[in-house]
């Protein structure tokens, strides 16, 4: 399995978070919609993925950043900096990739937190002008009987996840034989749009960096600790020692499938940033079946693992 880096720039509002499992599902649809490949190729990929993933895709992260691993930090009284920064630091979800790489061979959550506080202190001294972004986009509801907009109470609102011009990083791992297929699927998704309101222009993007080599995912065999970069569900043989955050996933599928039921069964998944001990594999998780009445429908609960070396003595 080869590792690649994709960077995208939004051309329009994004209304659906680009989580790794959702991106994976969307890429599957793009394979089906592409006349060069179609459902036959997707079925082949899904069958092989039951035992080993044929392609993995991370969640989309702010450009130049990755998740901060869920490593337990020191107790409040042991923090080496002003108390007013404790809550601010704990709310930080992403760190610069360069900061992660700096401490990768001797990962210290305390050293990283110290640098994050220094960055917060620097920001406090700077005067910043930020553009206010509307967080919701209004739409007219359509009366299904008349085909016209409703006269009163006819507005509904789509929450804007990210605005245009935002640049995002995505990491992809793929078996060599399917690399071109997944690359083509990314290009088709850029044109088709991702997620909610794609038919009215939402979720469209340009590809700035197209399947370049990824330094971040190299040399996993040299590390015994790891971090997930997409939502996943561990399988029985995965490492048992983890620090994580859980969230419920209420998945959907395309309309017109699965006996007209667009909803998958709920799943409880681990968020990107899950800290995994004694992990030397490139990935964790599984492909989940039985998430819908239609047995052909699957849900990707795999995640690529980013390796690093961690000093257990740093944990308190």
């Amino acid at each position: 399995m080869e590792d690649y880096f994709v960077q995208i720039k939004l051309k329009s509002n994004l209304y659906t978070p680009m989580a790794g499992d959702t991106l994976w599902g969307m890429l599957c649809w793009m394979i089906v919609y592409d006349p060069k490949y179609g459902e036959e190729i997707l079925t082949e990929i899904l069958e092989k993925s039951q035992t080993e993933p044929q392609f993995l895709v991370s969640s989309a992260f702010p450009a130049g950043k990755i998740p901060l691993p869920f490593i337990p930090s020191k107790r409040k009284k042991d923090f080496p900096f002003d108390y007013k920064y404790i809550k601010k630091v704990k709310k930080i979800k992403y760190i610069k990739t360069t900061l992660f790489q700096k401490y990768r061979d001797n990962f210290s959550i305390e050293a990283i937190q110290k640098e994050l506080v220094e960055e917060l202190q620097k920001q406090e001294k700077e005067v910043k002008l930020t553009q206010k972004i509307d967080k919701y986009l209004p739409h007219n509801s359509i009366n299904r009987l008349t085909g016209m907009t409703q006269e009163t109470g006819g507005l509904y609102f789509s929450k804007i996840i990210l605005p245009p011009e935002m640049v995002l990083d995505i990491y992809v791992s793929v078996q060599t034989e399917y690399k071109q297929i997944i690359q083509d699927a990314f290009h088709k998704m850029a044109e088709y749009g991702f997620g909610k309101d794609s038919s009215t222009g939402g979720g469209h993007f340009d590809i700035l960096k197209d399947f370049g080599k990824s330094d971040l995912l190299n040399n996993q065999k040299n590390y015994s600790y790891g971090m997930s970069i997409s939502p996943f569900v561990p399988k029985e043989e995965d490492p048992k020692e983890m620090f994580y955050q859980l969230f419920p996933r209420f998945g959907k599928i395309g309309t017109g499938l699965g006996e007209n039921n667009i909803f998958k069964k709920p799943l409880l998944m681990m968020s990107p940033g899950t800290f995994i001990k004694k992990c030397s594999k490139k990935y964790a998780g599984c492909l989940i079946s039985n998430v819908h009445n239609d047995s052909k429908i699957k849900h990707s609960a795999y995640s690529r693992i980013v390796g690093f070396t961690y000093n257990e003595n740093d944990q308190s």
Side-chain angles (χ1 to χ4, degrees), residues 105-248:
D105 292 328
N106 187 20
F107 204 85
S108 168
I109 193 68
E110 181 178 337
I112 287 176
Q113 286 176 334
K114 182 179 178 181
E115 293 210 22
L116 292 175
V117 169
E118 290 173 356
E119 183 65 26
L120 289 171
Q121 291 171 334
K122 181 180 177 183
Q123 291 174 5
E124 288 177 352
K125 295 178 181 179
E126 296 176 352
V127 178
K128 289 192 172 184
L129 297 176
T130 57
Q131 181 182 4
K132 187 176 180 181
I133 299 169
D134 292 330
K135 294 188 176 181
Y136 293 89
L137 184 70
H139 300 269
N140 278 319
S141 297
I142 303 296
N143 186 312
R144 301 304 177 187
L145 297 178
T146 65
M148 306 291 287
T149 57
Q150 297 187 119
E151 293 183 4
T152 59
L155 284 180
Y156 71 95
F157 297 84
S158 294
K159 183 177 180 180
I160 298 172
I161 304 298
L162 290 174
E165 304 300 316
M166 285 291 294
V167 179
L168 303 169
D169 293 345
I170 302 171
Y171 297 91
V172 181
S173 301
V174 60
Q175 300 290 357
T176 305
E177 61 182 304
Y178 297 119
K179 189 252 184 177
Q180 190 60 55
I181 294 174
I182 302 305
Q183 190 171 9
D184 289 346
F186 255 99
H187 282 266
K188 196 168 188 69
M189 181 168 62
E191 298 173 5
Y192 186 89
F194 174 86
K196 184 179 180 181
D197 289 344
S198 59
S199 61
T200 56
H204 290 252
F205 57 88
D206 288 322
I207 298 176
L208 302 182
K209 296 182 181 178
D210 191 5
F211 277 66
K213 286 294 182 178
S214 169
D215 294 332
L216 183 67
L217 300 180
N218 288 343
N219 304 318
Q220 176 64 23
K221 64 181 180 181
N222 296 335
Y223 301 105
S224 55
Y225 294 83
M227 174 184 68
S228 66
I229 53 175
S230 64
F232 78 106
V233 176
K235 56 184 176 182
E236 187 174 352
E237 55 266 38
D238 284 337
K240 300 295 187 293
E241 293 186 80
M242 302 183 189
F243 291 97
Y244 52 84
Q245 289 183 357
L246 297 174
F247 74 98

Side-chain angles (χ1 to χ4, degrees), residues 39-90:
E39 189 172 350
E40 183 179 348
I41 293 296
L42 177 61
T43 300
E44 177 186 310
I45 291 173
L46 293 180
E47 287 178 352
K48 291 181 179 180
S49 296
Q50 296 282 5
T51 55
E52 182 181 9
Q54 299 305 295
F55 76 94
L56 302 169
V57 57
S58 76
S59 298
F61 307 123
K65 295 187 176 183
I66 60 170
L68 177 63
F70 298 132
I71 298 175
S73 57
K74 289 185 177 294
R75 295 169 296 179
K76 183 176 180 180
K77 67 176 184 178
D78 296 327
F79 271 69
F81 42 76
D82 194 320
Y83 279 9
K84 73 176 184 178
Y85 295 108
I86 292 175
K87 286 186 177 180
K88 292 181 180 180
V89 168
K90 287 183 176 292

Side-chain angles (χ1 to χ4, degrees), residues 13-35:
N13 288 328
L14 182 68
Y15 300 103
T16 301
M18 283 187 164
D21 56 330
T22 311
L23 279 167
W24 186 92
M26 189 69 180
L27 289 170
C28 288
W29 278 112
M30 296 300 99
I31 294 171
V32 173
Y33 292 159
D34 194 323

